[in-house]
Amino acid sequence: MLGRAYVGLILFFLYAPILVMALMSFNESEFYQLPVQYSTVWYEKLWENDTILNSTWRSIWIALVVTVIATVLGTAASIALWRYEFPGKGVLQVLLFPPIAIPWLITGTAMLIFFFGVGLGRGTPSVILGHVALALPYVIVVVTARLATLDRTLEEAARSLGASPWIVTRAVTLPWIAPGIVAGALFAFAVSFDQFVVSYFLSEPGDTTLPVLIYSAIRKGFTPEINAISTIIIVLSMAAMLIAARFSKFGGER
Amino acid sequence: MTEVRVEGLCKSYSGTHALEDISLTFPESSFFGLLGPSGSGKTTLLRAIAGFVNPDRGRVFFDGEPVEDMPVEAREIGMVFQNYALFPNMTVAENVAFGLAVRKVHGAEQSRRVSEVLDLVQLGSLGQRKPHELSGGQRQRLAMARAIVTKPRVLLLDEPLSALDKSLRVDLQIELKRIQREVGITTIFVTHDQEEALTLSDQIGILKDGRLVRHGPPQDVYDNPGDAFSAHFLGEVNLFDITPCDSGHCLRDGTFIGVVAADPGNLLSVRAEHLRITAAEPDIDIRLRANLVQRIFAGAMGSCVLEWQGQVLKAVGRHQEFSHLPENGQVWVTWSMEQARWVRP
């Protein structure tokens, strides 16, 4: 009984704000008047609001580019760290994790200074590089966890049968860790798509991503179109989560 | 067929010697058993031949051709792993076809060779199953099929039967021997099971602490073990300390065993099956008065545990030989010196 109450409370805290927001996106009133008058007017307005649409597409394509780069690099790094012994390996593994722990505010400041220092300055390349650096450790953690369940003798068996390291990777390693790669890619996408601090610091004025746009919208005057786009994103990301969880079984079972 | 030779192989891991100066020839088409307790270096030796272990020193030859600088995938070996290491995402047929596909053998030729080798290991009808749908014995056969389909120069088996239960193991030993005879590949296998080694091998090598202590045909090694470790490792053996006395050598209790030219410190080794136990005093010079502690009935065979001068002795034989003995109490123990051997401690 008490247990159910706990679960109920947790779910309430998790989902109540989201439900309120979703509800308000369907409310005709701009000023959150109750009772809710069902209307899709904000979704229609959203469709005409180029600023929101543009920054949404921008966030999506940046996240996709980041996902591809971070997943490829992270998977390759995980396989190398798992397969080979080399001097300094332990240090390298430790050095890969602080980006998860260091506050993004500090990472973002450091990146801004660095990118100006090397002459790259603000702009899309800097945003993508920054996001990749933030997403990479997540991919490595997830893929490494999956690799830990791979039986090393499978790779040895493939080599004993004449397979080159590349064929071993393609035929044995990658199929086994595929669920981990998918999960890592989802993380990378989420880290980039969600990213506010680093995007805010590194974007050129005008080239905003969705989180940056929402931030400035809150300061300048909020329209329920933001509720609408947020609701769409929540529905899409929960659908993606469910599909991924079903497909990968969260990297647990084989 | 290929002759495998290793010369002066050394390998140490953080100070401990896994292999210490091992030189050994594995004759072509032989079934060579490497035997030893865990940590003796037998698996390291097998993996050095395969190429998974880089020796610190020493050489490996296949038919006189040095291979120590070749990566595993270029050595044309077949290997059966202790856990079989079957590819879980592939069917039985795909597992077998893997080595052929890597060698660019495709199409009809590939299918022909896959079904040929699956027939050889009696898995002909199971080609479309996944490994997890097979029984333990079938997995072992599949691992074998996958290893031999590429016609490797040498077949390496790492404790190939240790994951199976006793009765299945005996069946598969016979099976393994048949397959090896049919394909005639030089086969090196590692085991800690002395019975398995004796059953399967034409040649055995016994390792201890990274050293090769004895090698040769199984019966030779069994009959003339040479040292106490090899004597103990193959079969059951009783070892006696010898002291000089009067004009020859005596056992600890003063029993005179004759004028023999033994190196000082050597032990007298008498196999358990060579001990004779009698209730009545025998008319033989070498006879010990021992205490029968336990009689063990094990079907056709039986054994006796005895205590003599604080030392435990063991005798084995057909159980009828022991059935007339008392359950416990004083008995006589004898043997013929022709069947006894001197061994280094």
Side-chain angles (χ1 to χ4, degrees), chain B residues 222 236 270-276 314-317 321 339:
Chain B
Y222 187 84
E236 300 245 32
V270 184
R271 291 238 170 248
E273 66 268 29
H274 293 150
L275 286 189
R276 294 277 160 271
K314 195 151 184 207
V316 298
E321 289 179 39
Q339 290 172 319

Side-chain angles (χ1 to χ4, degrees), chain A residues 150-165 167-168 170-172 175-176, chain B residues 47 52 71-73 77-79 81 83 85-90 98-99 102-103 146-147 150:
Chain A
L150 172 58
D151 179 1
R152 279 173 198 275
T153 56
L154 287 181
E155 288 202 338
E156 291 184 346
R159 288 188 69 199
S160 76
L161 290 166
S164 64
I167 294 177
V168 172
R170 212 187 53 202
V172 177
W176 183 265
Chain B
R47 291 173 63 81
F52 292 121
V72 176
E73 56 267 27
I77 57 166
M79 188 150 176
F81 294 81
N83 63 357
L86 302 170
F87 303 131
N89 52 330
M90 301 182 196
F98 184 86
V102 166
R103 285 167 177 73
R146 188 180 65 176
T150 57

Side-chain angles (χ1 to χ4, degrees), chain B residues 178-199:
Chain B
R178 174 185 69 83
I179 295 167
Q180 194 264 351
R181 278 219 192 95
E182 269 181 50
V183 294
I185 302 173
T186 309
T187 303
I188 306 172
F189 86 109
V190 154
T191 181
H192 62 270
D193 180 343
Q194 48 132 324
E195 218 177 286
E196 192 170 294
L198 294 176
T199 311

Side-chain angles (χ1 to χ4, degrees), chain B residues 11-330:
Chain B
K11 178 74 187 176
S12 52
Y13 294 107
S14 53
T16 51
H17 296 287
L19 296 178
E20 247 188 301
D21 194 23
I22 296 209
S23 297
L24 188 56
T25 300
F26 304 88
E28 64 176 272
S29 297
S30 67
F31 205 128
F32 202 115
L34 292 172
L35 194 57
S38 57
S40 59
K42 57 191 192 301
T43 299
T44 310
L45 176 56
L46 193 81
R47 291 173 63 81
I49 294 167
F52 292 121
V53 165
N54 268 331
D56 301 334
R57 254 179 302 130
R59 315 204 65 186
V60 181
F61 300 92
F62 287 2
D63 272 340
E65 171 200 0
V67 298
E68 62 269 6
D69 293 328
M70 262 186 211
V72 176
E73 56 267 27
R75 292 194 186 189
E76 294 179 63
I77 57 166
M79 188 150 176
V80 174
F81 294 81
Q82 196 170 357
N83 63 357
Y84 313 138
L86 302 170
F87 303 131
N89 52 330
M90 301 182 196
T91 63
V92 167
E94 285 165 356
N95 264 279
V96 176
F98 184 86
L100 295 173
V102 166
R103 285 167 177 73
K104 309 263 182 278
V105 177
H106 294 290
E109 164 80 354
Q110 188 191 78
S111 337
R112 187 183 60 75
R113 283 174 66 176
V114 168
S115 58
E116 210 174 82
V117 77
L118 283 179
D119 286 342
L120 178 70
V121 301
Q122 301 176 353
L123 288 179
S125 55
L126 303 178
Q128 294 317 307
R129 296 255 182 108
K130 287 285 184 71
H132 68 87
E133 298 168 314
L134 301 181
S135 70
Q138 289 169 336
R139 285 179 207 186
Q140 207 285 331
R141 288 158 193 266
L142 172 56
M144 190 73 182
R146 188 180 65 176
I148 59 178
V149 72
T150 57
K151 300 194 164 66
R153 302 176 76 177
V154 47
L155 181 61
L156 305 170
L157 314 176
D158 184 7
E159 305 254 7
L161 303 175
S162 67
L164 304 170
D165 59 45
K166 176 83 180 166
S167 62
L168 195 54
R169 205 156 65 218
V170 172
D171 288 349
L172 277 169
Q173 280 170 4
I174 298 166
E175 190 69 11
L176 214 60
K177 187 86 181 164
R178 174 185 69 83
I179 295 167
Q180 194 264 351
R181 278 219 192 95
E182 269 181 50
V183 294
I185 302 173
T186 309
T187 303
I188 306 172
F189 86 109
V190 154
T191 181
H192 62 270
D193 180 343
Q194 48 132 324
E195 218 177 286
E196 192 170 294
L198 294 176
T199 311
L200 289 174
S201 323
D202 325 317
Q203 298 265 323
I204 58 171
I206 297 177
L207 285 99
K208 182 198 179 195
D209 300 333
R211 288 180 175 281
L212 183 69
V213 290
R214 182 83 167 85
H215 66 99
Q219 199 176 344
D220 255 24
V221 176
Y222 187 84
D223 288 343
N224 299 296
D227 64 295
F229 181 81
S230 305
H232 259 307
F233 209 81
L234 292 181
E236 300 245 32
V237 78
N238 298 293
L239 297 174
F240 296 97
D241 298 325
I242 299 300
T243 46
C245 66
D246 306 338
S247 50
H249 290 83
C250 290
L251 298 182
R252 199 184 319 165
D253 67 344
T255 305
F256 183 73
I257 54 161
V259 186
V260 281
D263 289 335
N266 274 8
L267 303 167
L268 186 70
S269 145
V270 184
R271 291 238 170 248
E273 66 268 29
H274 293 150
L275 286 189
R276 294 277 160 271
I277 318 290
T278 56
E281 183 166 3
D283 184 21
I284 300 174
D285 288 341
I286 301 174
R287 58 177 191 273
L288 308 178
R289 194 73 172 136
N291 190 23
L292 179 59
V293 178
Q294 202 185 2
R295 248 171 57 192
I296 298 158
F297 172 73
M301 303 297 283
S303 63
C304 287
V305 180
L306 307 122
E307 188 261 307
W308 168 80
Q309 299 273 311
Q311 181 179 352
V312 174
L313 303 181
K314 195 151 184 207
V316 298
R318 293 187 327 186
H319 83 91
Q320 291 95 327
E321 289 179 39
F322 304 129
S323 55
H324 66 282
L325 295 173
E327 278 301 324
N328 45 42
Q330 296 287 304

